[in-house]
Amino acid sequence: MKNVLFRNSRAIWLAVILLTLGGVMAGLRLPVSLFPHIDYPRVVVAIEAGDRDAGQMAAAITRPIEIALRAVPGVTGIRSTTSRGSAEVALSFEWGDDMVASTQATQGALASILPDLPPGTRFDVRRSDPTIFPVLGLSLTSTTRDTRALRQLAELKLRPILTPVKGVAGVDILGGSPREIAVEVDPARLQAMSLTLADVAQSLTTANTVKAIGKIEDRHRLYLTLVEDRITSISDIAATPVKTGAEATAGIVTLGQIATITPSEAPNFTRVTANGHDAVLVNIRQSPSADSVSLVKDIEARLVEAKLPPGITVTPFYDQSELVTGAANAVRDAILLGAVLAGLVLFLFLRSARLMVITGLMLPAVLAATCLALYVLGMSFNMMTLGGMAAAVGLVVDDAVVMLEHMMRRMQEGVAKTAPALLEAAAEMAKPLFGSTGATIVVFLPLAFISGVTGGFFKALAITMTAALAVSLLYARYVVPLVAARWLKPSDAEAADRAGRIMDGLAGRYDRVSARAWARPGLFVAVVAVLLLVAGYAGYSRVESGFMPKMDEGGFILDYKAKSGAALGDTDALLKQVEAIIRATPEVVSYSRRTGVQLGGGLTESDEGDFFIRLKGGSRRNIEEVMTEIREKIETQVPGLSIETLQLMEDLIGDLTAVPQPIEVKLFGDDPAMLAEWAKKVAAALEKISGVVEVQDGQRVAGDAIIIKVDRAAAALAGLSPDDVALQAQAAVGGTIATQIQQGEVLIDVRVQTPGDLRQRVAALGNLSLRSADGRAVALRQVARVSIIAGQTQLTREDLAPFVPVTARLEGRDLGSAMVDVKYTVANLRLPASVRVAYGGIYVQQQKSFADLATVFLAAILLTVLLLTYLFGRWRITIAALGTILLSAAAVIAGLWLTGTELDISALMGLTMVVGMVTELVIFYLAELDLDKPLDLAAVREAGLARLRPILMSALIAILTLAPLALGIGRGAGLQRPLATAIIFGLLIGAPLVLTFLPAALLTRLRGEPVGV
């Protein structure tokens, strides 16, 4: 092999240079995003069907749609929410399904049933993916322009310049109202001329005409012939003639004589503000493969080029690139700091600057080649791939260090003094190096079969680490020996000898401790095993559990709900008090508020909405403290307002998977009144559980309704049918869009309506004038009874079964222990047999993820057993090694408990990685044993002393390179913190176990063999 390396050294160097350059170019081109791309198996259908009550909506529209969609191939579940005139149906599919095909199948099923639905039913189908939330949110405010003008500016100027930006999937505009022209007809004049609102609307419709009647070819020219009577202005509308009767002798009046015509805006029951001012929000959504950081920079550049008029302020209320950049910087700093610490360990043990330089050059070369692999696989820089690189730094450095330490040891022993001899020494490490790296890689293989959020997140990390380890293995085996053989000098061995004084002290202590431990190896093994198993059990029974790691995103969402059916003005008054609390919080830098709409869409009434609150960067209180303070102040100072607080990514993942709340108790039954009653009892019981906050009983009331009950007999005597009454009342209350006029590229609706004082008071509705076909006029109260009924509760169903969801969030408590109390509390309520209980929310995702990762952990153990058996071929060695690995895993659980770290999907992934990393140390130790000879105390002692330095160096390097991640410094850095903490504790205990417990276990397994020095 040494001759092969020498003969091909130029080709190897060229390959390394090309891989490094290619990796640098790939790294510059890799997109940057927050999370890896995941195809979430969920399709949401938003349904609009005009103004109708929830019961009629559910029976006539939602239920038929649910039945039709249940037949879509691959559907595993359907969940619906029905409100007044609108509904939302969510379809769940299996993870890994083709969601493009599933979305198309959903659209096809809806198209087939649409003819059977009531006229005017519309639907919108969208896949659940991260693009439902904006990557950048901008607020437009002005002291000189109203929101109508701001919305026009956003639609006509900002949307055209932002939409073409690379990576933009859509630009959504919230706030303000589209421009309209209001035609308020005088009822007295209308009655005096025997006209109806329908007559006025029809006159406008027929007067505004542009119709092509054909083409004419004349004198070598082709002409399009148009009949045009276009209305272009308010004066044209005022001049529109209205015939006062159907007979030929009927008179003519102009619309201006019977109506007031003014610029207006479309009816709007929403409100949008930013930093206390009425605003228009521009939400920019990115495509799944876009570079978040570049996209935001490009948008900012376009905004500068736009040169908006003076007096308009553009403020970002949400910028995801800040979180992406903060997380990337945190991981970058962790990599750099970890590399420096690894270099210090290397220098401490070997005192060679050359070895530090060799290792320092290898690390960026390996990371560059890893970037090339990510680019080829179509991946991105995100919190998982960058975290994978940071977690791999210690392993990459370790590969080089193990090889260099072995070559240096042979130099110190005087065995390797020439370049060929050094290459021969390097060849001795081939099998242990390949075996140890393989031990780390095999633990990632089971992730290929894991689906869900866990699989989507950690496959990216696993691919990154596997690529880095594979490249590192090749470099450590073939490149590092070439460099060391040419560059290492006898002086390096002398420096290592001087550094050996530290090792001499450690070796002496190790020798004394091991001698005592191995004097009675069986007892030592039993005591250590019992202690660690007890510690592991104590940690397991007490450690808190969660789902996703907690991290500071730099901002959070505050959802709110006022009293059901509250007027928009009353809700706005309450929210101004909330805004005062938010502005008084020193950490808040800006905020935006939506009423009647939400940041991520969904069913929203005029008495609910959300805030997005953006916090300052740099040094400040933890985001959880800020959220708690604002929530407590609102609860005490703003009665009548219920709220929920959560960070955006938590809300996003919850929405993409089903329910954003951690706790959801689902009550199924056929009696709505009974479900509502027990939902309130369950909610009241949950409120008493410590740490359970923001409990909602699932009774979402859509608001009150005015019922106009037609008296058929009275209507018939007046010459009206119930349909006539409904149509004329609709025209009077809601107005009629009679036509549109064009101004530039914009079409502006012309709405014919009655004066506001006749349609904005319930008492005035009875005075609405109706006209029969024969011209008779009658007041609405003469043919109908007007009454008010209480608001209707939104209807929820899952797989066609009615249910009520009771939801809650957590504060200062973990999900696992809280759910134990929730289940115990619900069970003690002794619900009737007709009410079935099920649990949902983030808890379901946690349970699925834990089950998946438990499978991964078990598969990693089995693959490790297979690898150890293949490498060493003896069951007792495999069993002793397995015991060492499992006790290290027990130490991880105890460490998580001691540090107050939740057992979540990140920590479980770290636990699985500990299996591979401890196995790597085991292989290094076992490779020093001559397994062809009987094992005795002298053999294991000699192997321990020989491997003491490399094992300690490997463990220390891995621990120190992960320490910056474990500290979780920086915005967004918390995602990898549990993983790093788990690995650190696994190695802190695993390395001593490999040096002491593993040899003792090997000695214990001997039968009838003398044990002596």
Side-chain angles (χ1 to χ4, degrees):
M1 177 60 70
K2 59 181 181 291
N3 293 328
V4 173
L5 286 180
F6 271 126
R7 286 198 305 268
N8 296 284
S9 60
R10 292 182 178 85
I12 292 174
W13 285 120
L14 181 59
V16 170
I17 293 171
L18 291 178
L19 279 175
T20 304
L21 292 176
V24 171
M25 295 178 64
L28 295 175
R29 295 184 179 183
L30 277 174
V32 181
S33 58
L34 186 61
F35 293 135
H37 174 67
I38 302 174
D39 282 327
Y40 292 89
R42 194 163 181 259
V43 174
V44 178
V45 180
I47 306 165
E48 292 291 338
D51 295 324
R52 61 184 72 222
D53 66 80
Q56 181 188 16
M57 180 80 186
I61 297 174
T62 309
R63 184 174 176 80
I65 285 178
E66 287 177 326
I67 295 173
L69 295 180
R70 198 66 183 84
V72 172
V75 171
T76 60
I78 293 182
R79 181 168 177 149
S80 70
T81 303
T82 305
S83 187
R84 296 186 300 183
S86 60
E88 189 173 86
V89 181
L91 283 70
S92 298
F93 296 83
E94 291 287 356
W95 286 92
D97 284 356
D98 185 342
M99 294 313 299
V100 174
S102 298
T103 303
Q104 292 173 343
T106 303
Q107 293 171 329
L110 288 169
S112 65
I113 196 178
L114 187 60
D116 300 328
L117 299 178
T121 302
R122 303 185 306 277
F123 61 83
D124 176 61
V125 181
R126 69 178 188 273
R127 290 171 53 191
S128 282
D129 60 50
T131 62
I132 63 176
F133 283 93
V135 65
L136 178 66
L138 304 172
S139 64
L140 304 184
T141 56
S142 176
T143 57
T144 58
R145 301 181 182 225
D146 58 18
T147 55
R148 183 173 58 187
L150 291 175
R151 184 180 181 96
Q152 182 179 356
L153 176 72
E155 289 179 338
L156 299 183
K157 190 173 182 67
L158 291 185
R159 179 179 272 159
I161 68 172
L162 296 182
T163 300
V165 173
K166 182 180 179 181
V168 171
V171 178
D172 302 324
I173 298 172
L174 300 177
S177 293
R179 289 185 296 163
E180 280 191 353
I181 294 178
V183 180
E184 291 196 349
V185 182
D186 187 327
R189 296 180 184 179
L190 205 64
Q191 184 174 357
M193 296 180 182
S194 301
L195 292 172
T196 65
L197 288 175
D199 296 331
V200 176
Q202 182 63 27
S203 298
L204 272 172
T205 302
T206 56
N208 191 21
T209 301
V210 178
K211 186 174 182 180
I213 61 174
K215 296 179 180 178
I216 296 176
E217 188 172 350
D218 182 30
R219 301 177 186 272
H220 309 290
R221 305 287 293 177
L222 182 63
Y223 298 94
L224 173 64
T225 307
L226 300 173
V227 175
E228 180 178 316
D229 184 15
R230 194 192 302 266
I231 295 176
T232 60
S233 64
I234 289 179
S235 60
D236 289 345
I237 296 174
T240 301
V242 181
K243 195 174 182 181
T244 59
E247 62 279 357
T249 58
I252 298 291
V253 296
T254 63
L255 191 53
Q257 293 176 300
I258 60 173
T260 303
I261 306 166
T262 57
S264 183
E265 58 186 32
N268 186 16
F269 299 99
T270 65
R271 182 83 185 275
V272 173
T273 67
N275 302 319
H277 303 285
D278 288 339
V280 168
L281 305 183
V282 180
N283 294 334
I284 296 97
R285 293 180 290 108
Q286 71 175 55
S287 59
S289 59
D291 185 321
S292 303
V293 177
S294 297
L295 187 149
V296 171
K297 289 181 179 178
D298 292 344
I299 288 174
E300 291 173 345
R302 289 292 183 97
L303 289 174
V304 173
E305 296 172 2
K307 297 180 180 179
L308 298 178
I312 295 177
T313 303
V314 180
T315 306
F317 69 85
Y318 175 68
D319 185 352
Q320 192 181 99
S321 69
E322 292 182 347
L323 178 58
V324 175
T325 304
N329 290 342
V331 174
R332 176 204 63 198
D333 295 342
I335 292 174
L336 295 176
L337 182 57
V340 171
L341 294 174
L344 292 177
V345 171
L346 189 64
F347 186 78
L348 176 67
F349 281 93
L350 297 177
R351 301 289 175 89
S352 172
R354 289 187 180 88
L355 295 182
M356 291 182 63
V357 172
I358 294 172
T359 306
L361 291 175
M362 176 181 166
L363 179 60
V366 170
L367 294 180
T370 304
C371 291
L372 183 59
L374 296 180
Y375 183 79
V376 171
L377 294 172
M379 300 175 70
S380 66
F381 281 138
N382 53 66
M383 296 180 73
M384 300 311 296
T385 54
L386 289 172
M389 286 187 177
V393 166
L395 298 175
V396 170
V397 173
D398 182 53
D399 285 345
V401 167
V402 166
M403 177 59 74
L404 292 171
E405 190 277 338
H406 183 75
M407 296 175 71
M408 183 62 70
R409 181 153 66 97
R410 292 300 187 220
M411 289 181 67
Q412 289 178 272
E413 294 170 351
V415 176
K417 297 182 178 180
T418 63
L422 282 171
L423 291 178
E424 187 174 341
E428 296 172 358
M429 283 300 294
K431 183 178 178 180
L433 195 62
F434 278 91
S436 62
T437 304
T440 308
I441 291 176
V442 295
V443 302
F444 295 122
L445 296 181
L447 279 174
F449 305 99
I450 297 300
S451 61
V453 176
T454 304
F457 271 57
F458 287 105
K459 280 177 186 175
L461 181 142
I463 290 172
T464 304
M465 292 195 67
T466 300
L469 291 175
V471 175
S472 172
L473 173 62
L474 295 176
Y475 280 27
R477 175 61 189 93
Y478 301 113
V479 179
V480 169
L482 279 177
V483 179
R486 291 181 178 273
W487 202 15
L488 289 182
K489 305 295 182 184
S491 58
D492 295 307
E494 295 171 3
D497 286 334
R498 290 193 296 271
R501 297 172 186 174
I502 297 176
M503 286 306 306
D504 290 341
L506 290 174
R509 293 178 184 176
Y510 170 70
D511 203 18
R512 290 192 295 272
V513 170
S514 61
R516 293 179 182 178
W518 299 339
R520 300 179 64 183
L523 178 62
F524 177 73
V525 167
V527 170
V528 171
V530 168
L531 288 176
L532 286 177
L533 288 175
V534 169
Y537 177 78
Y540 180 76
S541 61
R542 293 172 173 81
V543 68
E544 297 181 342
S545 64
F547 177 52
M548 292 291 291
K550 292 182 174 64
M551 59 180 180
D552 191 331
E553 298 177 19
F556 63 94
I557 290 175
L558 189 154
D559 290 327
Y560 59 84
K561 176 76 167 65
K563 183 179 179 181
S564 298
L568 181 62
D570 294 339
T571 303
D572 187 59
L574 291 175
L575 297 176
K576 287 180 179 178
Q577 299 178 52
V578 175
E579 291 181 348
I581 293 173
I582 293 172
R583 287 195 297 271
T585 305
E587 288 81 5
V588 174
V589 65
S590 65
Y591 68 89
S592 63
R593 186 252 287 187
R594 288 147 293 278
T595 305
V597 290
Q598 289 182 320
L599 186 63
L603 293 181
T604 312
E605 299 292 338
S606 296
D607 53 26
E608 60 185 333
D610 60 26
F611 287 84
F612 184 82
I613 301 170
R614 186 183 182 203
L615 305 183
K616 297 175 181 177
S619 178
R620 57 167 168 78
R621 285 186 296 169
N622 182 272
I623 190 169
E624 295 290 340
E625 297 179 28
V626 178
M627 291 167 63
T628 299
E629 178 184 296
I630 290 178
R631 181 181 62 78
E632 291 177 347
K633 285 185 177 180
I634 293 173
E635 289 177 347
T636 56
Q637 299 177 24
V638 191
L641 197 69
S642 61
I643 65 168
E644 295 179 338
T645 56
L646 65 163
Q647 295 195 64
L648 183 61
M649 291 303 106
E650 175 188 357
D651 190 32
L652 171 61
I653 293 174
D655 281 340
L656 292 177
T657 51
V659 179
Q661 290 86 0
I663 298 172
E664 183 189 39
V665 182
K666 298 185 286 187
L667 305 180
F668 291 87
D670 296 325
D671 186 343
M674 178 181 289
L675 287 181
E677 177 186 353
W678 279 102
K680 292 179 181 178
K681 292 180 180 179
V682 170
L686 296 188
E687 287 178 339
K688 298 176 182 178
I689 300 175
S690 175
V692 176
V693 298
E694 300 175 5
V695 181
Q696 305 291 331
D697 63 11
Q699 305 299 300
R700 306 288 286 186
V701 179
D704 300 336
I706 299 171
I707 301 298
I708 300 175
K709 180 66 174 177
V710 178
D711 185 333
R712 295 183 180 180
L717 289 174
L720 296 166
S721 68
D723 190 54
D724 294 331
V725 175
L727 290 175
Q728 293 192 46
Q730 179 184 11
V733 175
T736 301
I737 303 298
T739 189
Q740 293 177 318
I741 65 173
Q742 183 175 349
Q743 292 188 358
E745 298 180 357
V746 180
L747 292 175
I748 300 175
D749 291 338
V750 179
R751 184 184 298 270
V752 177
Q753 59 191 19
T754 57
D757 57 350
L758 297 181
R759 52 187 165 83
Q760 292 178 353
R761 298 290 180 185
V762 176
L765 288 179
N767 297 325
L768 289 178
S769 178
L770 308 178
R771 187 167 295 279
S772 64
D774 58 8
R776 286 181 292 165
V778 61
L780 178 61
R781 65 175 179 274
Q782 294 177 281
V783 296
R785 185 177 72 255
V786 181
S787 60
I788 298 176
I789 64 170
Q792 293 181 317
T793 305
Q794 291 182 356
L795 306 177
T796 50
R797 283 203 297 270
E798 188 170 87
D799 294 327
L800 303 180
F803 82 105
V804 175
V806 180
T807 60
R809 296 193 181 278
L810 299 171
E811 184 176 273
R813 188 166 186 187
D814 68 295
L815 179 57
S817 66
M819 281 304 302
V820 171
D821 288 350
V822 167
K823 290 182 177 181
Y824 177 80
T825 300
V826 173
N828 283 343
L829 289 176
R830 303 188 183 279
L831 277 71
S834 58
V835 177
R836 179 170 61 90
V837 178
Y839 296 93
I842 297 296
Y843 171 71
V844 172
Q845 295 299 319
Q846 182 212 44
Q847 294 301 297
K848 181 183 185 305
S849 298
F850 277 26
D852 288 345
L853 286 172
T855 303
V856 170
F857 180 78
L858 179 60
I861 291 291
L862 295 176
L863 290 173
T864 299
V865 168
L866 176 63
L867 178 65
L868 290 169
T869 305
Y870 170 76
L871 290 175
F872 303 106
R874 298 187 185 181
W875 284 115
R876 60 178 170 181
I877 291 179
T878 299
I879 293 172
L882 181 60
T884 306
I885 295 165
L886 293 178
L887 290 179
S888 300
V892 171
I893 302 298
L896 294 176
W897 168 51
L898 290 174
T899 57
T901 304
E902 286 189 353
L903 182 65
D904 52 31
I905 60 175
S906 179
L908 283 173
M909 191 65 227
L911 177 65
T912 304
M913 291 173 62
V914 164
V915 172
M917 298 174 80
V918 173
T919 303
E920 180 177 343
L921 300 181
V922 167
I923 292 173
F924 282 143
Y925 175 84
L926 294 175
E928 193 67 21
L929 294 171
D930 187 351
L931 299 179
D932 294 329
K933 298 178 181 180
L935 290 177
D936 57 16
L937 187 58
V940 296
R941 174 178 175 274
E942 184 179 349
L945 290 172
R947 288 302 183 191
L948 178 62
R949 184 169 68 179
I951 287 177
L952 288 180
M953 290 177 65
S954 296
L956 277 176
I957 287 171
I959 290 170
L960 292 176
T961 54
L962 288 169
L965 283 182
L967 294 174
I969 301 172
R971 180 183 294 184
L975 191 63
Q976 308 296 347
R977 183 176 181 179
L979 179 144
T981 303
I983 295 175
I984 286 174
F985 272 95
L987 293 177
L988 277 175
I989 303 300
L993 286 178
V994 170
L995 291 169
T996 57
F997 179 87
L998 176 61
L1002 292 173
L1003 292 172
T1004 303
R1005 294 294 298 175
L1006 297 177
R1007 291 292 183 268
E1009 293 186 15
V1011 177
V1013 178

